[in-house]
Amino acid sequence: MVLSSVLGFPRIGAKRELKKATESYWAGKSSVEDLLKVGKELRAHNWKLQKDAGVDLIASNDFSYYDQILDASLLFNVIPERYQKYSLPQIDTLFAMGRGLQRPATDSTPAVDVPALEMVKWFDSNYHYVRPTFSHSTTFKLNGQKPVDEYLEAKELGIETRPVLIGPVSYLVLGKADKDSLDLEPISLLEKLLPVYAEVLQKLLDAGAKSIQIDEPVLVLDLDEKVKAAFKTAYSVLAEKVPAAKLILATYFGDVRPNLDAVKGLPVAGVHFDFVRVPEQLDAAVEALSAEQILSVGIIDGRNIWKADLNKAVKFVESAIAKVGKERVIVATSSSLLHTPVDLENETKLDAEIKDWFAFATQKLSEVVIVTKAVNGEDVKAELEANAKSISARASSSITNDAAVQKRVAELGEKDTKRASAFAARLEAQKSLNLPLFPTTTIGSFPQTKEIRVQRQKLNKGEITAEQYEKFIEKEIQDAIKFQEEVGLDVYVHGEPERNDMVQYFGEQLKGFAFTQNGWVQSYGSRYVRPPIIVGDVSRPSPMTVKESKYAQSVSPKPMKGMLTGPVTILRWSFPRNDVSQKVQAQQLAFALRDEVNDLEAAGVTVIQVDEPAIREGLPLREGEERSAYVQWAPESFRIATSGVKDSTQIHSHFCYSDLDPAHIKALDADVVSIEFSKKDDSNYIQNFSDYPNHIGLGLFDIHSPRVPPQSEFEKRIADILAVYPKENLWINPDCGLKTRQWDECRKQLTNMVNAAKVFREKYA
C-alpha cells in the first residue's frame, strides 16, 4: 500500500495560541510552565488532527517556540560563548539567541546585555531562520533531547510519528563563522558534528522510532564539490554508527537534478522530492534511487493556498508508481505546511466562490489522504469530481480576468521603466531638500500600540465612525512627528498608524485580492502575518496613502517620506496566483503603484520610499535561465512603479534579512537605499557596497530586539562603514521599521543613533 505523509505542520495554533503564550512569557506575565503547557497542547492537537485525517506518517519535532534551526543549534550546543556566560535556563538561552536580551541586574541575577544572532530568509520563503554561528571553540554535544522527548510525547498519546531533523550538511551550510573565527569554513566541522547526530538517531531508535525524516534542503542550491562530497561522508558515517536507522532524506523548494550525484548511492531508506515545484525531475529522481529506496512524492503544495488539482496529482503519483512500484511510493506534501495558514474553516467572511478555491494546512491533510486512497484503489470518485468542479470554476471566473489590466501590461514600453535623468542630475535637483551630511531617518513604521489596534477593531466593528477614526490617526501622526522632532531626525515618516501590515494594507485597497480573518503564518519568532491572496488581475481603484502622507507633510516643514511597499514584495508576501507568471503579476502591481507614486508627488510629497525587502527572497535558488530572467523583470517592476516622477523627487527603497547582491540593488536605480546591517559580522559585507553609485544607509541597530545599543556602539559601526564607504553618500538609519518595538525603546535607540551621527557630522564639518 502507498502511504501518506506530511513533512511538518504549522505550530502557531489556529488562534495564534503560541504567539500569545510566548509574548506573555517575555513580558513576565506568565511562567515558563505556562508556556510549556501551551506548547504541549498545540503539539497534541496537531498530531491528533493529522491522525484523525488519516495521515500515515506524521512529523514530530516540527514544533518550535521560536525557530526549528535555532532549536538544532541549542540541541547540538552551538551556542556562542556570549550567551553561555549568563547560565540562563535553556528556554531563555533560546530566546536570547533569537531576539537578544537586555535586562538590569537584580539582587539575585547579574545584568544581561546580548544581541540576537543573525536572522535570514529560509530559502525563497518569507519565513526567517536564525543562522547557526560557529567558531573554532564550538564544541558539539547533546544539550537535551528535544526530538526524543517529543516523539515519546506523541507515543504516549497513542500516535506514532516520524521525527524530523535538519540534516547535518544543510545545518552547516546554512550557518556561518562567528566574528572571531571568520577563517572558519562551517562544512569543515562535519566530522565533529556527526557523532552527535548519530547519538540523536540512536536515542530515537531506542525510543521506538520506525523512521526518521532528515531534511537536506540545500540540495536545491548550487553546491560546490566539497559540499556535494560531504553528503557521502555524512550518510556513510551515520549508516555505520546507526545502521538500523531508517532515514528518509527530504529535499524541497526546487530542482535537485544538478546535485543528484550527491544523492545517488547514499545509504538512506528513501528520498523525498518537491514535484510541485519541479515535476519534470521525476525521471531523474527515479534513476538516482536504488532498487530498494523509497520515492516520497511531494505533490500537495506546502507553500501556497490553492486547492490541488487532485486528478492531476493522482495521475502524477500513478506515473511514479509505474516506474518504481506501489510498495516504494509515499504520497506527501511538497514541504512542511509551516508556510500555510492553519484551517480554512476559521474563515467565515470569505466570498463563497473564492473560498472554494483554497486549501489551508488542515485541508491539505485531506488532499494528501485522498490522493493516497485513489492510487490505492479506494473509492474517492465523489471527492475527485468535487475537486475538478472547483478547479474549473476558478479558471473561468470573472474575478480572475480584467481585460483593461491585461492591456496595460501588454503595452509596457521602455519609457515606463526609466527615470528622466541619471542619478547625478537627480542628486543636484534634490539639493532642495536641504539635508545635512549623514542624514538620519527611520525606515517607516513606529510602534503599533494597543490603543491603535483597539481603535482599528472599533472601526471594523462599527463602534466608531470613519471620521472619528481619521481624527485618531491624525493625532497619532502628530505624535509621531513630535517624537521625531524631539529625537532630532532629519527626514521624517508619518509612522503608519493606519496600517495593519505593510502588504495587507495595500492589498485591501487593490482590486484582485482576497483576505482572511485567521490566515496567519509565521514569519519569525512571534511575528505572524496574514498574507493577502492574489485571486485575479490587479489594479488600483483609488489613492491608497495620499491622504495620510499629505496630512503628515502639512504638519512639519521637514521632508516627509511617503511610504509604499514595492511590487515584488507585495507579490512575494502574498499568496500569488499559480495560473499566471510571477512576472506578469509583478508588472500589474507595478502599474498600480506607479499611479500611487505619481499621486503622492502631485500632493507635495517629494521623498517617496518604495520598499522591496523581498527582492532577494524572490531570486530563483539556482543559476540559470529562470534567475537571469528574474534579475531583469524584478528590478524593472520597481522602476515601472517609480520612474514617472520628477528629478527633484527622491526615491528610496529598503531591503532586509537576506544576503543581498549589490548588482540587483543597483538595477533598481533608487536614489537612496537602506539595508539591514546591524547583525552582519563580516566587514566584507560593507565592501560589497563600497562602489554602490547612489546613496545608502546600512542599518545600525536591530529592530527585532528590545536591546538599546550605547552611543559608542553606533559610533563604531559608523566608523567601520566610513572606512570603506564615502561619507557624502551615507545615511544613518535602523535595520528596518519600528512597528514591533515600544516607544521608550525607540526613543533611546534613535537618540543614541542621532547623537552618533552628530559626532561624525561635526568631525567632517
Side-chain angles (χ1 to χ4, degrees), residues 78-296:
V78 183
I79 307 170
E81 191 277 333
R82 54 188 175 275
Y83 303 97
Q84 295 189 37
K85 69 180 183 180
Y86 294 111
S87 300
L88 299 168
Q90 271 211 3
I91 191 72
D92 291 340
T93 299
L94 181 86
F95 291 144
M97 292 165 69
R99 63 192 296 266
L101 183 61
Q102 187 177 51
R103 68 188 186 198
T106 67
D107 292 341
S108 58
T109 61
V112 178
D113 185 6
V114 62
L117 292 176
E118 184 181 7
M119 184 175 71
V120 288
K121 292 291 178 69
W122 181 244
F123 293 82
D124 59 351
S125 77
N126 189 30
Y127 179 76
H128 304 66
Y129 75 97
V130 179
R131 180 171 274 173
T133 303
F134 307 102
S135 71
H136 291 296
S137 61
T138 296
T139 302
F140 298 109
K141 64 179 181 180
L142 269 193
N143 190 18
Q145 54 172 27
K146 177 181 181 292
V148 181
D149 291 341
E150 293 186 9
Y151 170 78
L152 291 172
E153 190 178 306
K155 200 169 186 178
E156 289 175 6
L157 297 171
I159 301 174
E160 180 63 33
T161 61
R162 184 174 69 181
V164 55
L165 297 169
I166 183 68
V169 179
S170 290
Y171 178 70
L172 292 172
V173 170
L174 293 170
K176 69 170 188 176
D178 208 349
K179 54 190 174 184
D180 60 354
S181 303
L182 294 178
D183 60 329
L184 176 66
E185 190 175 12
I187 197 64
S188 69
L189 299 172
L190 182 63
E191 184 179 346
K192 295 179 180 179
L193 176 60
L194 289 175
V196 186
Y197 261 88
E199 189 177 351
V200 175
L201 296 178
Q202 187 61 58
K203 285 180 176 292
L204 286 168
L205 283 183
D206 293 344
K210 294 177 172 60
S211 64
I212 300 164
Q213 176 184 320
I214 303 286
D215 287 2
E216 290 285 10
V218 299
L219 281 163
V220 302
L221 303 178
D222 292 316
L223 302 177
D224 61 32
E225 293 305 316
K226 183 181 296 185
V227 173
K228 287 183 181 182
F231 282 96
K232 303 289 187 185
T233 301
Y235 289 90
S236 295
V237 169
L238 293 178
E240 179 183 347
K241 289 182 176 292
V242 197
K246 182 181 178 182
L247 306 182
I248 303 296
L249 187 148
T251 71
Y252 37 80
F253 298 166
D255 193 346
V256 187
R257 285 175 294 181
N259 292 324
L260 277 176
D261 55 335
V263 175
K264 192 171 184 178
L266 292 183
V268 295
V271 183
H272 171 88
F273 295 89
D274 183 344
F275 293 118
V276 172
R277 256 319 161 85
V278 192
E280 56 269 27
Q281 65 183 325
L282 176 60
D283 287 341
V286 169
E287 187 178 337
L289 298 179
S290 71
E292 295 78 30
Q293 284 178 317
I294 291 167
L295 174 64
S296 177

Side-chain angles (χ1 to χ4, degrees), residues 393-467:
R394 178 189 166 206
S396 59
S397 174
S398 60
I399 296 172
T400 303
N401 301 290
D402 187 322
V405 173
Q406 294 171 8
K407 181 175 183 291
R408 190 175 187 187
V409 170
E411 294 174 350
L412 171 66
E414 187 177 349
K415 61 178 173 50
D416 299 310
T417 66
K418 290 185 177 180
R419 294 286 295 270
S421 303
F423 174 68
R426 303 198 307 260
L427 184 62
E428 186 65 27
Q430 290 161 18
K431 287 182 177 178
S432 59
L433 295 171
N434 296 316
L435 299 176
L437 191 65
F438 307 116
T440 58
T441 189
T442 64
I443 304 306
S445 59
F446 276 126
Q448 285 269 321
T449 63
K450 181 179 179 180
E451 178 60 19
I452 290 175
R453 294 192 296 272
V454 167
Q455 292 300 316
R456 188 178 297 137
Q457 289 170 358
K458 285 184 177 180
L459 175 68
N460 293 336
K461 293 177 181 178
E463 296 175 4
I464 60 173
T465 66
E467 290 75 18

Side-chain angles (χ1 to χ4, degrees), residues 371-620:
V371 173
T372 306
K373 287 181 175 180
V375 299
N376 280 327
E378 298 184 43
D379 183 9
V380 288
K381 182 180 178 181
E383 290 90 337
L384 294 177
E385 287 178 350
N387 174 262
K389 185 177 179 181
S390 295
I391 299 298
S392 176
R394 178 189 166 206
S396 59
S397 174
S398 60
I399 296 172
T400 303
N401 301 290
D402 187 322
V405 173
Q406 294 171 8
K407 181 175 183 291
R408 190 175 187 187
V409 170
E411 294 174 350
L412 171 66
E414 187 177 349
K415 61 178 173 50
D416 299 310
T417 66
K418 290 185 177 180
R419 294 286 295 270
S421 303
F423 174 68
R426 303 198 307 260
L427 184 62
E428 186 65 27
Q430 290 161 18
K431 287 182 177 178
S432 59
L433 295 171
N434 296 316
L435 299 176
L437 191 65
F438 307 116
T440 58
T441 189
T442 64
I443 304 306
S445 59
F446 276 126
Q448 285 269 321
T449 63
K450 181 179 179 180
E451 178 60 19
I452 290 175
R453 294 192 296 272
V454 167
Q455 292 300 316
R456 188 178 297 137
Q457 289 170 358
K458 285 184 177 180
L459 175 68
N460 293 336
K461 293 177 181 178
E463 296 175 4
I464 60 173
T465 66
E467 290 75 18
Q468 289 173 313
Y469 181 70
E470 184 174 336
K471 289 298 181 185
F472 170 77
I473 292 299
E474 287 181 351
K475 177 63 166 57
E476 289 291 320
I477 292 172
Q478 293 171 17
D479 290 346
I481 291 171
K482 182 180 179 182
F483 171 85
Q484 292 170 90
E485 289 172 345
E486 292 170 353
V487 169
L489 293 168
D490 300 305
V491 176
Y492 291 177
V493 297
H494 78 280
E496 305 177 17
E498 78 286 2
R499 303 186 189 184
N500 45 18
D501 176 81
M502 66 179 292
V503 172
Q504 181 183 346
Y505 180 77
F506 292 96
E508 286 174 343
Q509 300 181 77
L510 293 167
K511 184 180 177 183
F513 280 81
F515 300 89
T516 64
Q517 297 163 266
N518 296 289
W520 299 99
V521 293
Q522 186 179 26
S523 180
Y524 63 86
S526 69
R527 169 68 169 157
Y528 305 165
V529 294
R530 274 186 304 162
I533 304 167
I534 305 178
V535 296
D537 293 326
V538 176
S539 60
R540 186 198 73 147
S542 60
M544 301 179 287
T545 67
V546 173
K547 179 174 65 177
E548 290 81 12
S549 294
K550 185 176 181 179
Y551 175 77
Q553 187 62 81
S554 73
V555 174
S556 172
K558 288 275 192 175
M560 187 74 58
K561 287 195 284 191
M563 303 298 305
L564 304 174
T565 303
V568 175
T569 299
I570 293 179
L571 172 66
R572 296 294 309 182
W573 291 1
S574 302
F575 288 115
R577 295 170 66 175
N578 60 0
D579 60 339
V580 174
S581 74
Q582 295 208 3
K583 175 182 177 180
V584 168
Q585 292 177 78
Q587 290 171 337
Q588 292 180 359
L589 286 160
F591 274 118
L593 290 167
R594 182 185 183 94
D595 296 340
E596 186 73 11
V597 168
N598 292 347
D599 282 351
L600 281 168
E601 182 184 62
V605 179
T606 56
V607 182
I608 302 172
Q609 183 169 309
V610 181
D611 291 340
E612 283 289 23
I615 198 158
R616 173 60 179 81
E617 171 192 317
L619 186 72

